[in-house]
Amino acid sequence: MPYELNDKIKSIDPYEPEPGSYRVRLDANESFLPPSDKVREAIRTAVDTIHFKRYPDPLAAELCAAAAAYYGVNAANVTAGNGSDELISVIFNAFVQKGDKIVTFAPDFSMYPFYGRLAECPVLTLPKRQDFNIDLAAAADTVNSENAGLVIFSNPCNPTSVGIPSGEIVRLIQSVRALVVLDEAYMDFYGDSLTARVEEFDNLIVLRTVSKAMGMAGIRLGFAVANPALTAAIRAAKSPYNVNAVTQAIGRAVFSDTDGIRHAVTLIKASRDMLLGELNRISKEIPGSLKPVAADANFVYTQAEEAECLFEALKKSGIIVRRFGNCLRITAGRNLENVELINAVERFYTSNR
Ligand SMILES: *Cc1c(COP(=O)(O)O)cnc(C)c1O
């Protein structure tokens, strides 16, 4: 009998980052800054203490304590993951059962429907308003009337870069029976976090990561922050050695330089504001070209006339961004990278009409 793939794995669309090498990579919302000298030094010291022949601490206790101090919570509120991506998968496998409904929004992070499908849960995707805001009161009604088990969204949102004030999210958390998974991957840039308030809620898990503001996407490290009961469940459901010893050691070093993190966030926000300002200028000088959205994260989202042609033209000049239909998401880069991007966009719209 030939082996046959089941339907869910047959129909899964793998997450495929843009292949190929580009001079200017503004497609993955990474930081453009290297780790600070202080962090580099702390990493060298930490790596020397690793017991390579031993399995790592299954609960990454020292790392979670360092993260907890940074996020203003207790270590009993924190679970470390192999990227927050892994934690989304763990949470979807542990807190919903096959057939339970998961609610998310569009546009939002593409991995939510991906993991939802693998967990065999129908994913209800509620459209956002034209300005990319969410009517959270209406969403809460839908979550309850559909008897959904889980609602997940990013704040600020990837890909729109739009932030939602924490007060609105608190109202949602308090008015639904579902578990709310609040993905704060970009919260370092927005500064209206609910991470430190997880003890107030019995249905909130907040996700954080070192991949974006802290410039550490390569070590694969994220955190789930929740009350102790939810934390115990997440820890029980994860694989035992999910965060390797090298990442645990480097992760502790990252949290040792809080001034450095703050400084990096300031520089990245300045780059984002420069990028947004220039894209806004182009949208005024060349009517009908771009329509950038006010940005709260480290990237800018904009509607773009002839988005696909523009995307291809950028690639030809060695610049990669992300395209979502007629919109582009552009990560804030180094000054020269931003300038190259802006010149290429301007060139496209002036030579094209
Ligand atoms: C980048 C990103 C993540 C993934 O973070 P990792 O910790 O690198 O897995 C999670 N959520 C959103 C919305 C992101 O954009």
Side-chain angles (χ1 to χ4, degrees):
M1 285 281 266
Y3 177 74
E4 278 211 38
L5 293 174
N6 69 35
D7 290 339
K8 74 175 174 186
I9 197 71
K10 253 194 296 206
S11 64
I12 202 87
D13 261 335
Y15 181 79
E16 287 179 279
E18 190 70 34
S21 60
Y22 294 89
R23 223 164 8 90
V24 178
R25 287 211 80 116
L26 303 175
D27 65 325
N29 296 345
E30 295 145 333
S31 170
F32 60 86
L33 295 166
S36 69
D37 290 345
K38 193 172 167 194
V39 166
R40 280 176 182 279
E41 185 54 39
I43 289 172
R44 275 190 289 271
T45 314
V47 165
D48 275 340
T49 69
I50 297 171
H51 295 288
F52 285 102
K53 68 182 177 194
R54 300 291 182 198
Y55 283 101
D57 174 4
L59 292 180
E62 284 184 46
L63 171 60
C64 286
Y70 182 77
Y71 293 126
V73 297
N74 296 316
N77 299 122
V78 180
T79 310
N82 187 354
S84 44
D85 238 316
E86 183 208 14
L87 293 164
I88 298 170
S89 168
V90 168
I91 290 165
F92 279 22
N93 282 303
F95 290 89
V96 283
Q97 307 191 63
K98 178 177 174 177
D100 287 352
K101 287 178 188 155
I102 292 175
V103 169
T104 189
F105 303 93
D108 205 327
F109 194 37
S110 61
M111 297 313 284
Y112 309 147
F114 174 90
Y115 288 121
R117 203 160 309 131
L118 281 178
E120 299 186 68
C121 294
V123 179
L124 302 183
T125 307
L126 310 183
K128 292 187 183 179
R129 293 194 293 238
Q130 286 274 288
D131 61 3
F132 300 117
N133 282 300
I134 307 176
D135 184 345
L136 282 181
D141 289 344
T142 305
V143 169
N144 287 331
S145 65
E146 294 283 345
N147 204 18
L150 187 152
V151 50
I152 184 165
F153 55 100
S154 53
N155 187 39
C157 168
N158 174 10
T160 67
S161 206
V162 172
I164 308 166
S166 58
E168 290 181 33
I169 297 176
V170 167
R171 274 195 291 283
L172 171 83
I173 298 165
Q174 289 173 333
S175 53
V176 297
R177 291 183 300 275
L179 177 69
V180 177
V181 181
L182 176 60
D183 185 346
E184 293 192 340
Y186 301 95
M187 187 48 79
D188 310 76
F189 305 109
Y190 184 51
D192 192 8
S193 177
L194 287 174
T195 309
R197 294 181 56 187
V198 290
E199 292 271 9
E200 293 174 40
F201 309 101
D202 64 5
N203 62 333
L204 173 65
I205 300 174
V206 180
L207 299 176
R208 303 293 297 248
T209 180
V210 304
S211 299
K212 307 288 160 53
M214 297 171 196
M216 283 283 159
I219 67 170
R220 309 306 304 124
L221 178 62
F223 299 95
V225 186
N227 69 38
L230 294 176
T231 298
I234 301 166
R235 289 179 180 176
K238 75 178 187 65
S239 67
Y241 304 115
N242 60 325
V243 181
N244 72 71
V246 180
T247 293
Q248 291 193 28
I250 296 176
R252 292 202 304 275
V254 170
F255 287 108
S256 69
D257 184 18
T258 50
D259 287 347
I261 297 170
R262 241 191 314 272
H263 184 59
V265 166
T266 304
L267 295 177
I268 294 166
K269 281 163 73 175
S271 160
R272 181 222 35 220
D273 290 341
M274 177 271 199
L275 181 62
L276 178 61
E278 286 297 291
L279 295 174
N280 271 326
R281 177 184 61 74
I282 292 174
S283 87
K284 285 206 192 70
E285 289 177 5
I286 311 172
S289 57
L290 302 174
K291 223 169 126 194
V293 182
D296 293 314
N298 65 331
F299 52 89
V300 177
Y301 194 63
T302 180
Q303 266 179 38
E305 183 67 21
E306 298 174 81
E308 191 169 2
C309 289
L310 171 58
F311 177 74
E312 294 300 329
L314 292 174
K315 284 215 290 198
K316 278 211 192 79
S317 4
I319 304 169
I320 186 72
V321 299
R322 271 297 289 272
R323 181 173 75 85
F324 300 86
N326 64 349
C327 292
L328 299 185
R329 188 196 71 193
I330 307 164
T331 307
R334 288 185 288 116
N335 187 59
L336 280 176
E337 295 177 318
N338 291 351
V339 167
E340 272 206 52
L341 176 280
I342 285 150
N343 288 343
V345 170
E346 212 161 6
R347 215 162 40 235
F348 174 81
Y349 284 118
T350 43
S351 63
N352 229 24
R353 50 191 71 208

